[in-house]
Amino acid sequence: MNPTNNRFVLDWISDMAAMTKPDNIVWIDGSEEQAQGLREQALSTGEIIKLNQEKLPGCYLHRTVHNDVARVEGRTFICTSTKEGAGNINNWMDPVECKEKLTRLYTGSMKGRTMYVIPYSMSIVGSPFAKYGIELTDSIYVVLNMEIMTRVGYDVLDALGDSADFIKGLHSKADLDESNRYIIHFPEENTIWSINSNYGGNVLLGKKCFALRIASFLGRKEGWMAEHMLILGVTYPNGEKKYVTAAFPSACGKTNLAMLIPPEVYQKQGYKVECVGDDIAWLRVGEDGRLWAVNPENGFFGVAPGTNEKSNPNALHTCMKDTIFTNVCLNTDTNTVWWEGLDKNPPEHAINWKGEPWDYRKYDKADKVNTSGAHPNSRFTAKAVNCPCLSPAYYDPQGVPVDAVIFGGRRARTAPLVYQSTSWQNGAFVGSIMASETTAAAAGAVGVVRRDPMAMRPFVGYNMGDYWAHWLTMGTKIPHPPKIFHVNWFRTDAEGNFIWPGFGDNMRVVLWILARCAGTVDADITPIGYIPKAEDICIDGLDGVTLDTVKDLLTVDTAAWLEDVENIKAFYAQVGDHVPQAMYDELAALEARLKAAK
Ligand code: OXD
Ligand code: MN
């Protein structure tokens, strides 16, 4: 018997089953009993491997095929009815043509397999933020991951009732054929089609596909925002709580900031830091006129390499139970997992992410993919509830009020440690010019600048120019908006060494940001915005960082910024004619201020 009578749900499933032709259809009820049955099945086929249950209770390892290890931006499409709707930054295909093409690929793709029907909620079922989805998949790995990353179960169907308001996600591994791999979004039809991949970001459709691409489209239509942001809570010694959201491109330490451990100097005073979310924030204007945020997810899909007792002990502890590891290294002596950067003791006897015997002595930094034990993008899928620093506010269906929005990038010289925008509009501009650059191993040399507006470049489900316009419109709808900042933990010295210690010490900057929001600290105005007075960044207990170091970290290099302005102009031209005039005005004003300061 079907667990719902919703005709929209049942008719859609029957259409998709007619196309993909599974042998049978199984509804996922969210129970541990059913999940255990699926694990047994996946164990019997080798789809997952049971790890040492004493050391890693409830933990399993999965390996993907070698060509299916990351999100595939080149094969990710936004299929709005017009190309203009998707804009120049997204890939676009005509939706009718796309459906014809993919229908051919999906036809019979589930023959001999089971179609699993996963009803899930992004954010707490019944909360004002909640949005519902159903994912159809032929992958047990997807079912087990979705049960960690989202809220799965029949209560979602009850909450949906007979409404058509749900996101229809269809996933088939098909043949895992790389040349026919597609991640397709039809935002105007609340639909996602994913085929020929079985890697997390391409197939856990609640995450990037729904909670960012489709949700950003819905947010614009409905007057809210879906952002690629962590949510962090700070409790002051007097018990007061403040919340910040922060957007960083990949490889900028987002999960580390989300689970930060305060430096001893703050711990002693009674400060506490808690994680509400590590990747995605949905933001709405509350009745009090402030911006409120929830984390729509229920787990973390974190990058394993580099996670260790120093960089992120909270993440490490979170993934010590109930976790699915993907493409990490297996220590065959202990049946536990290992990855580069976990510790300095690579296993003597091990199987690498490709499933081959691995000799750590052959590791070559220049060819990580082929010589590492764990793939550089290997992952852990872990439950939020197992995170030692999870905030109680994570469970609040109303979310948390946001005091500050932080943008960040990886810049060797251009961006100072921190600066504050001068208004919401100026802050949206600061978000639009976000960028990261790769630092070459050679001293001081810098690589290519990739502009990644609001860290959303691969995740906006419509025209980037319209997305910026939505940011500006939201500014007019939030009576008490958060203040907007930009940080850069990655400034380097002449030898290419990072100047700022980063990790837990980033709290020192977060506290300056919150002091600015509270109006309790002064700042200096520069052409790019407000920067701290060096003595207002606390360096107590920091080895090797002096007042002069902080002054250096806070300098605004006018020449480098003027060069950046040219790069921004080229990027705006690429985004095209939907770039709001206000953004051009901000850019012109920035250029004029920089020239005046020269
Ligand atoms: C992620 C990403 O996996 O941003 O979160 O790529
Ligand atoms: Mn992300």
Side-chain angles (χ1 to χ4, degrees):
M1 237 205 25
N2 293 323
T4 177
N5 293 320
N6 183 317
R7 286 310 335 153
F8 301 104
V9 171
L10 297 177
D11 290 351
W12 168 65
I13 294 174
S14 112
D15 288 349
M16 296 303 102
M19 175 167 70
T20 55
K21 302 187 174 46
D23 284 10
N24 46 25
I25 297 178
V26 169
W27 288 79
I28 299 300
D29 60 17
S31 69
E32 176 48 31
E33 199 185 349
Q34 188 187 42
Q36 189 49 32
L38 290 172
R39 277 182 218 118
E40 302 292 341
Q41 214 176 309
L43 283 167
S44 72
T45 59
E47 188 174 350
I48 58 173
I49 295 165
K50 195 186 249 177
L51 295 165
N52 183 326
Q53 296 297 297
E54 258 165 48
K55 294 194 158 117
L56 298 168
C59 292
Y60 298 84
L61 168 65
H62 169 82
R63 297 190 191 104
T64 64
V65 297
H66 304 175
N67 66 26
D68 189 24
V69 292
R71 285 187 292 104
V72 278
E73 288 179 20
R75 308 201 67 91
T76 300
F77 288 77
I78 302 295
C79 296
T80 39
S81 45
T82 63
K83 172 157 175 39
E84 200 175 353
N88 298 337
I89 301 299
N90 285 311
N91 300 314
W92 178 83
M93 245 192 278
D94 174 78
V96 176
E97 260 172 50
C98 179
K99 274 190 200 146
E100 275 171 18
K101 186 184 177 95
L102 264 78
T103 296
R104 283 195 292 278
L105 299 176
Y106 276 119
T107 298
S109 69
M110 294 193 191
K111 258 190 204 152
R113 298 179 184 166
T114 297
M115 173 190 271
Y116 299 99
V117 181
I118 314 172
Y120 67 96
S121 175
M122 299 314 291
S123 79
I124 297 167
V125 179
S127 92
F129 285 86
K131 295 257 174 210
Y132 306 125
I134 297 182
E135 176 163 355
L136 309 179
T137 180
D138 53 5
S139 161
I140 294 182
Y141 171 75
V142 167
V143 175
L144 296 175
N145 275 270
M146 283 292 284
E147 290 199 307
I148 297 174
M149 292 305 297
T150 70
R151 294 158 171 96
V152 170
Y154 289 171
D155 53 341
V156 173
L157 296 172
D158 295 341
L160 183 63
D162 55 13
S163 162
D165 188 12
F166 66 100
I167 305 302
K168 305 182 203 67
L170 173 65
H171 165 249
S172 175
K173 301 184 277 193
D175 309 318
L176 295 173
D177 171 8
E178 193 179 13
S179 61
N180 277 314
R181 186 166 293 154
Y182 289 101
I183 320 300
I184 306 285
H185 307 74
F186 303 102
E188 291 146 349
E189 299 169 47
N190 283 345
T191 297
I192 306 159
W193 280 10
S194 163
I195 189 159
N196 277 312
S197 174
N198 202 31
Y199 165 78
N202 300 327
V203 298
L204 307 180
L205 301 185
K207 193 170 179 63
K208 304 299 188 183
C209 299
F210 176 174
L212 287 177
R213 297 193 190 99
I214 298 285
S216 62
F217 181 91
L218 293 175
R220 177 179 178 230
K221 212 164 67 175
E222 298 168 2
W224 56 283
M225 303 165 93
E227 297 296 332
H228 193 197
M229 290 177 176
L230 64 87
I231 310 170
L232 180 81
V234 176
T235 309
Y236 284 71
N238 67 3
E240 209 182 343
K241 285 183 187 293
K242 304 276 183 194
Y243 296 93
V244 304
T245 62
F248 297 91
S250 305
C252 287
K254 198 147 143 241
T255 306
N256 295 346
L257 182 63
M259 298 181 188
L260 169 160
I261 298 208
E264 216 173 284
V265 50
Y266 292 120
Q267 285 183 31
K268 279 191 187 141
Q269 293 172 56
Y271 282 92
K272 240 169 91 182
V273 174
E274 289 164 337
C275 173
V276 182
D278 80 322
D279 195 39
I280 297 174
W282 283 1
L283 304 153
R284 286 179 186 274
V285 186
E287 275 165 21
D288 60 355
R290 301 181 69 190
L291 193 61
W292 288 69
V294 292
N295 169 11
E297 301 190 277
N298 205 24
F300 308 117
F301 183 62
V303 176
T307 305
N308 59 48
E309 271 301 345
K310 179 170 181 290
S311 67
N312 197 337
N314 282 319
L316 199 59
H317 295 174
T318 307
C319 66
M320 287 298 115
K321 65 175 182 183
D322 308 329
T323 294
I324 299 173
F325 294 95
T326 302
N327 291 340
V328 298
C329 178
L330 178 68
N331 179 333
T332 49
D333 288 330
T334 56
N335 197 25
T336 58
V337 289
W338 191 84
W339 49 78
E340 279 68 20
L342 173 64
D343 54 38
K344 295 203 160 43
N345 308 308
E348 274 296 328
H349 303 105
I351 307 275
N352 68 10
W353 68 273
K354 292 183 179 174
E356 301 157 346
W358 180 65
D359 180 353
Y360 68 86
R361 294 167 201 89
K362 299 204 173 126
Y363 174 74
D364 174 5
K365 216 172 164 189
D367 184 15
K368 281 191 189 169
V369 168
N370 288 310
T371 64
S372 297
H375 187 277
N377 190 36
S378 55
R379 299 278 177 150
F380 55 83
T381 316
K383 293 182 178 174
V385 67
N386 288 339
C387 177
C389 64
L390 190 70
S391 168
Y394 166 82
Y395 298 101
D396 191 332
Q398 302 302 323
V400 297
V402 181
D403 293 284
V405 169
I406 304 174
F407 293 123
R410 179 184 276 267
R411 304 301 302 261
R413 276 316 297 170
T414 318
L417 179 62
V418 57
Y419 69 99
Q420 181 188 352
S421 66
T422 52
S423 65
W424 178 275
Q425 173 173 306
N426 179 248
F429 167 72
V430 168
S432 81
I433 65 170
M434 252 175 75
S436 263
E437 71 215 13
T438 48
T439 320
V446 292
V448 186
V449 174
R450 172 179 149 107
R451 304 230 84 95
D452 189 351
M454 287 85 171
M456 284 286 280
R457 185 180 179 129
F459 305 123
V460 177
Y462 57 104
N463 190 308
M464 181 65 80
D466 293 340
Y467 166 71
W468 292 347
H470 180 52
W471 260 85
L472 297 173
T473 306
M474 284 301 295
T476 66
K477 293 189 174 155
I478 316 168
H480 310 295
K483 298 208 175 340
I484 302 179
F485 298 79
H486 186 282
V487 299
N488 174 27
W489 317 132
F490 301 97
R491 253 201 189 184
T492 50
D493 62 19
E495 279 76 49
N497 304 308
F498 294 123
I499 306 173
W500 179 247
F503 300 109
D505 289 312
N506 292 336
M507 170 139 177
R508 299 166 190 273
V509 176
V510 172
L511 286 184
W512 179 82
I513 286 172
L514 289 173
R516 283 297 290 167
C517 296
T520 55
V521 69
D522 217 351
D524 291 328
I525 189 72
T526 74
I528 62 168
Y530 296 105
I531 60 162
K533 294 179 183 300
E535 56 277 15
D536 290 329
I537 300 289
C538 167
I539 51 172
D540 293 353
L542 262 187
D543 267 358
V545 178
T546 64
L547 194 61
D548 282 340
T549 319
V550 178
K551 280 186 184 151
D552 180 31
L553 283 164
L554 292 172
T555 49
V556 178
D557 182 338
T558 310
W561 271 91
L562 278 167
E563 230 177 83
D564 214 37
V565 163
E566 295 311 312
N567 185 288
I568 297 164
K569 284 181 189 165
F571 180 61
Y572 272 22
Q574 191 193 341
V575 173
D577 52 15
H578 285 229
V579 175
Q581 183 55 43
M583 292 299 196
Y584 277 114
D585 296 345
E586 287 287 340
L587 181 55
L590 171 66
E591 185 173 15
R593 289 193 303 268
L594 289 164
K595 283 187 171 156
K598 224 164 76 162

